[in-house]
Structure formats: structure tokens, C-alpha cells
């Protein structure tokens, strides 16, 4: 009986581990983790640990050499340095989609890209109309953003109730939206100190070096990342937000692998026989000959060289961003102390952000894609109804990460930032609930 109970216990434990591992690897988990960190930030910011929470992010982290300090506040390390890694991954994703994915051709890209354009223009217009003539008008970029992790997490949780084509549409729209957000950050939110042309010229020269490395066939990612650090410093001091350097670096990362697939296949086909021929004595021990060790080492090296550098870097960064950088950003930025007096009536920040995300996003996406199809520019994906498009537009109203990031750039006042963050959290929650509920009741088209 004890043996049987132990067997059942082992099977249950093993199954639990497999289920937990599968859940952790699921794309929807990153959105759930983000939400959990945001909730934790709000709880801690309004608890007895509140003072410690806000003190922590303003502490300096670095080293001193003589009278000079080299480093940043912890908050700046997260928002400027770690988020540059996140933007590097976003840039790699955009480049991959433009070259090989759903943004690779006009017909494939037109429908979601025009939808993304509508999802940026209409929310920005709503916010601007409500805040024109006030000191808060430049927050128009806040409701323009879509958080792909949250939006995709919600739509994946719906499972088979939504067509796969809609999931592809939302992902493609979010990628195009990220590109739009990058353009807005680079152009609309320069440093208050203005542009420094000498550093900007230095950044252009470094980008030239990266392009030259790509053109001359350099494939070592370490070289690109090292030059990318220099580019980050130049852009950081130029007056443009430093995360733009990461996007520029991503666009310079090479596509072509060092070894072509056909050559690697030839190696794989010859390896077993060569490996067997070297084992002339048919030994049964675990030791390999020097020649066999050389073959295995060659295979390990070539298995890296045959991989696409861009995809290899994107694959390496994805878990770091999903499970470390984005949750840490959420925990560091979503906390707002609402126990005291929060001036929610600062201009119309709250109303502009809320209506921009909850109303402007779905309205803009639906309107622009509808006109796009009626004008014959592009067609709606097969099996996707206009109800699905509107529901996906609602999920596009989940701004969170990008919206909070933009709010930090748009406002210098801590009170304005707090109002914007509360509005983003409220609007994103409402958009997610409305979008998931709406899509749960939308039926597929009859011809799907």
C-alpha cells in the first residue's frame, strides 16, 4: 500500500511540475505576471512599506571615482537601461515581421498597419481635444500605445472562441503600434534640455559603424552589442530618449547566418558515418577519441553559426524581458500612493487617457480598417468578422507598459504622472474586461 501511495504521489508531483512548467512557458503568463506586479506595486505603495518603496527607486546605484559618481538612480537604471533591452527585443521583432512576417508585403501588412494607425490617431485626437490649451496637452502619446503582452495574454486565454486569424491580426497590429510608439517617443518627447548636436552626430557615426559591420559580413553578436553600448551613451547624451538607440541597434543586427542551411545539412549527413569510422576499436567505454571530440566541437560551433543572428538574439532576450525586465518595470512604475490627496482634476488628463484607450482605440481601429476595406486597399482576414475587429480594438486599449513609459516622458510633474498612471491602470483594466467579454459572445462569420 505504501509503495502504491508513493507511486501515486510521484505521478501527481510529476504531472504538477509539467503543468506548471507549461503554464510558465505560455505566452499568456507574461501578461498575468505583469498584472500581478502592477497590483503588488499599488499594494506596497499604499501600505506601511510605502516610504521604503518610493525611497528605493530614488537611490543611486553605481560607483564613485574621486569626486565623480558614475551611475544612475535605480529608477533610471530600470527605465533607461533595462527598458533599452526591452526596446531592442521590440526592434528585432519589428525587423523580423517586416522582412519575413505579417508586415513583409503591402497586402499582408496594410490591414493591420492601417488599423494600428487608426488606433493611434483617434486616441491622440481625443486626448488632445480635451487638453488643448492646457499644460498637459503633450500627454497625447499616452493613449496611443498598446501593451502586446497584456492584449495577447487576454486573447490567448479565450482559446478557440476566437479565430487564429484574429490573434495574428492583433499581434501584427501591436507590432505596428510599437513602431508608431517608437516614432512618437523619438520625435515628440525629446529631453527638456534640448538636443545636443555633437552627441547626435556621434550617434549617427556609430550607426554608420553598425551598418558597415553588417555589410562586411560580421555575424558575431557580441561585437554588435558592444558597439550598441557606445550608441546608447551617445543617444543618452544627445537629448533623444536612450531606448531609441536599442531600436537602431536592432535594425542593424544581421539576418543572414554565417553558415547556410544546405552546408549544415551536409555536415549532419556525414557526421554519423565519420563518427562511427573513428571508433575503429568498437570500444564500450565512455571515452571519445580526439578526432571524435573535434567532430562534436565542430558540430556545436556550426549549430550556432547556422542560426539566424537576429532570431538567436530575439529568442535569448524574450524570457529576460517577459519574466524580469517588464515585471520589474511594472513594479517600479505602477505604484501610486492614493491614501493622500491625488489631484485627479489636473486639466483633463484622466478623462483624455481613459476615453482615448477605452473608446478611441476600438473606434479608431474599426473605423480605419472598415474604410481600408471599402476602398479596396486591403481585405479583412478570412474568418474574422467586424465584431472580432472591434473586440480586438477593445483589447488594444490595454496600454499599460508603453503608456506608463510614455507618461514618464510626457510629464515632469509627479502629480501629473500619478494621475496618468491611475488612469492607465483603470482604462487598461476596463478595456481588458470589455474586450474579453465582447469577444466571448462574438460568433464566427458564416463563411469561416
Amino acid at each position: 500500500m505504501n509503495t502504491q501511495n508513493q507511486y501515486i504521489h510521484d505521478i501527481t508531483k510529476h504531472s504538477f511540475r509539467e503543468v506548471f512548467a507549461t503554464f510558465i512557458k505560455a505566452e499568456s503568463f507574461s501578461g498575468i505576471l505583469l498584472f500581478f506586479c502592477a497590483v503588488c506595486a499599488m499594494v506596497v505603495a499604499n501600505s506601511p512599506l510605502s516610504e521604503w518603496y518610493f525611497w528605493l527607486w530614488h537611490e543611486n546605484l553605481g560607483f564613485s571615482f574621486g569626486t565623480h559618481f558614475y551611475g544612475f538612480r535605480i529608477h533610471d537604471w530600470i527605465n533607461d537601461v533595462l527598458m533599452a533591452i526591452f526596446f531592442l527585443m521590440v526592434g528585432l521583432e519589428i525587423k523580423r515581421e517586416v522582412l519575413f512576417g505579417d508586415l513583409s508585403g503591402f497586402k499582408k501588412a496594410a490591414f493591420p498597419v492601417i488599423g494600428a494607425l487608426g488606433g493611434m490617431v483617434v486616441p491622440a485626437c481625443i486626448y488632445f481635444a480635451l487638453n488643448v490649451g492646457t499644460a498637459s496637452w503633450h500627454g497625447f502619446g499616452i493613449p496611443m500605445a498598446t501593451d502586446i503582452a497584456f492584449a495577447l495574454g487576454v486573447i490567448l486565454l479565450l482559446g478557440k472562441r476566437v479565430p487564429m486569424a484574429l490573434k495574428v491580426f492583433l499581434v501584427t497590429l501591436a507590432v505596428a503600434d510599437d513602431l508608431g510608439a517608437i516614432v512618437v517617443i523619438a520625435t515628440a518627447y525629446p529631453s527638456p534640455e534640448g538636443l545636443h548636436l555633437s552627441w547626435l552626430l556621434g550617434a549617427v557615426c556609430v550607426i554608420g559603424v553598425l551598418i558597415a559591420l553588417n555589410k562586411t559580413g560580421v555575424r558575431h553578436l557580441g561585437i554588435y552589442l558592444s558597439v550598441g553600448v557606445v550608441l546608447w551613451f551617445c543617444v543618452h547624451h544627445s537629448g533623444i530618449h536612450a531606448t531609441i538607440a536599442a531600436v537602431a541597434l536592432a535594425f542593424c543586427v544581421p539576418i543572414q547566418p554565417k553558415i547556410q542551411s544546405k552546408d549544415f545539412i551536409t555536415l549532419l549527413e556525414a557526421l554519423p558515418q565519420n563518427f562511427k569510422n573513428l571508433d575503429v576499436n568498437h570500444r564500450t567505454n565512455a571515452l571519445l577519441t580526439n578526432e571524435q571530440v573535434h567532430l562534436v566541437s565542430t558540430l556545436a560551433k556550426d549549430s550556432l553559426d547556422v542560426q539566424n543572428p537576429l532570431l538567436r538574439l530575439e529568442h535569448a532576450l524574450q524570457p529576460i524581458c517577459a519574466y524580469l525586465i517588464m515585471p520589474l518595470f511594472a513594479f517600479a512604475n505602477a505604484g501610486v500612493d492614493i491614501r493622500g490627496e491625488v489631484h485627479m482634476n489636473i486639466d483633463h488628463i484622466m478623462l483624455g487617457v481613459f476615453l482615448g484607450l477605452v473608446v478611441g482605440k476600438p473606434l479608431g481601429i474599426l473605423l480605419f480598417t472598415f474604410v481600408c476595406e471599402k476602398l479596396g486597399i486591403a481585405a479583412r482576414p478570412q474568418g474574422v468578422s467586424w465584431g472580432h475587429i472591434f473586440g480586438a480594438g477593445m483589447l488594444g486599449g490595454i496600454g499599460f507598459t508603453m503608456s506608463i513609459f510614455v507618461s514618464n516622458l510626457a510629464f515632469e510633474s509627479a502629480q501629473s504622472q500619478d494621475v496618468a498612471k491611475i488612469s492607465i491602470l483603470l482604462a487598461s483594466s476596463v478595456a481588458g474586461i470589455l474586450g474579453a467579454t465582447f469577444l466571448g459572445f462574438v460568433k464566427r462569420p458564416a463563411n469561416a
Side-chain angles (χ1 to χ4, degrees), residues 193-207 229-240 245:
E193 300 175 0
L195 295 177
H196 300 279
L197 295 181
S198 57
W199 283 105
L200 192 58
L201 180 61
V204 172
C205 293
V206 175
I207 292 175
V229 172
V230 178
L231 177 61
W232 185 93
F233 273 102
C234 290
V235 175
H236 176 72
H237 289 92
S238 72
I240 299 174

Side-chain angles (χ1 to χ4, degrees), residues 204-259:
V204 172
C205 293
V206 175
I207 292 175
V209 171
L210 288 168
I211 295 174
L213 289 171
N214 191 317
K215 295 296 183 182
T216 53
V218 176
R219 297 290 178 265
H220 198 289
L221 287 174
I223 296 176
Y224 285 91
L225 295 176
S226 300
V227 177
V229 172
V230 178
L231 177 61
W232 185 93
F233 273 102
C234 290
V235 175
H236 176 72
H237 289 92
S238 72
I240 299 174
H241 199 272
T243 51
I244 302 303
V247 180
L249 171 62
F251 290 167
C252 295
V253 171
I255 293 291
Q256 294 296 328
K258 195 171 184 179
I259 296 177

Side-chain angles (χ1 to χ4, degrees), residues 270-291:
L271 182 65
Q273 188 59 44
N274 293 338
F275 194 88
K276 183 178 179 182
N277 292 341
L278 291 171
D279 203 4
V280 292
N281 296 324
H282 301 287
R283 293 170 299 172
T284 58
N285 59 49
L287 297 177
L288 300 178
T289 66
N290 290 334
E291 292 83 357

Side-chain angles (χ1 to χ4, degrees), residues 126-137 346-349 352-353:
I126 290 176
Y127 181 95
F128 185 79
L130 289 170
N131 290 278
V132 64
T134 72
S136 303
W137 69 269
I346 298 178
D347 300 327
H348 295 294
I349 295 176
V353 171

Side-chain angles (χ1 to χ4, degrees), residues 5-199:
N5 290 340
Q6 182 63 38
Y7 174 77
I8 294 173
H9 177 266
D10 290 343
I11 291 293
T12 304
K13 185 177 180 181
H14 182 67
S15 300
F16 175 77
R17 285 178 177 175
E18 287 184 342
V19 171
F20 184 72
T22 302
F23 174 68
I24 292 294
K25 293 177 181 179
E27 291 179 272
S28 58
F29 177 73
S30 59
I32 296 172
L33 182 60
L34 267 182
F35 178 76
F36 174 77
C37 290
V39 171
C40 286
M42 288 297 292
V43 171
V44 174
N46 293 276
S47 73
L49 296 174
S50 175
E51 185 177 346
W52 168 85
Y53 173 85
F54 291 105
W55 164 84
L56 174 65
W57 309 124
H58 290 85
E59 281 296 290
N60 289 327
L61 180 62
F63 64 93
S64 296
F65 187 78
T67 58
H68 296 282
F69 173 76
Y70 299 93
F72 306 99
R73 295 182 306 164
I74 293 178
H75 193 263
D76 293 332
W77 275 107
I78 295 170
N79 287 11
D80 292 352
V81 180
L82 292 184
M83 284 300 285
I85 299 174
F86 167 74
F87 273 82
L88 173 59
M89 189 194 72
V90 170
L92 294 170
E93 185 180 54
I94 291 172
K95 183 176 181 178
R96 170 174 54 80
E97 289 294 327
V98 168
L99 294 177
F100 305 112
D102 291 300
L103 298 177
S104 59
F106 179 79
K107 289 186 176 179
K108 293 170 66 177
F111 194 82
V113 167
I114 291 174
L117 182 63
M120 291 184 285
V121 170
V122 175
C125 288
I126 290 176
Y127 181 95
F128 185 79
L130 289 170
N131 290 278
V132 64
T134 72
S136 303
W137 69 269
H138 51 283
F140 65 87
I142 298 172
M144 295 174 70
T146 294
D147 191 301
I148 187 171
F150 264 135
L152 185 59
V154 172
I155 206 169
L156 288 176
L157 289 175
L158 292 171
K160 296 182 179 179
R161 281 175 287 182
V162 295
M164 179 58 67
L166 184 67
K167 299 174 184 177
V168 174
F169 167 77
L170 182 62
V171 171
T172 310
L173 181 142
V175 170
D177 190 281
D178 283 344
L179 181 58
I182 290 166
V183 173
V184 170
I185 291 169
T187 57
Y189 299 111
S191 170
E193 300 175 0
L195 295 177
H196 300 279
L197 295 181
S198 57
W199 283 105

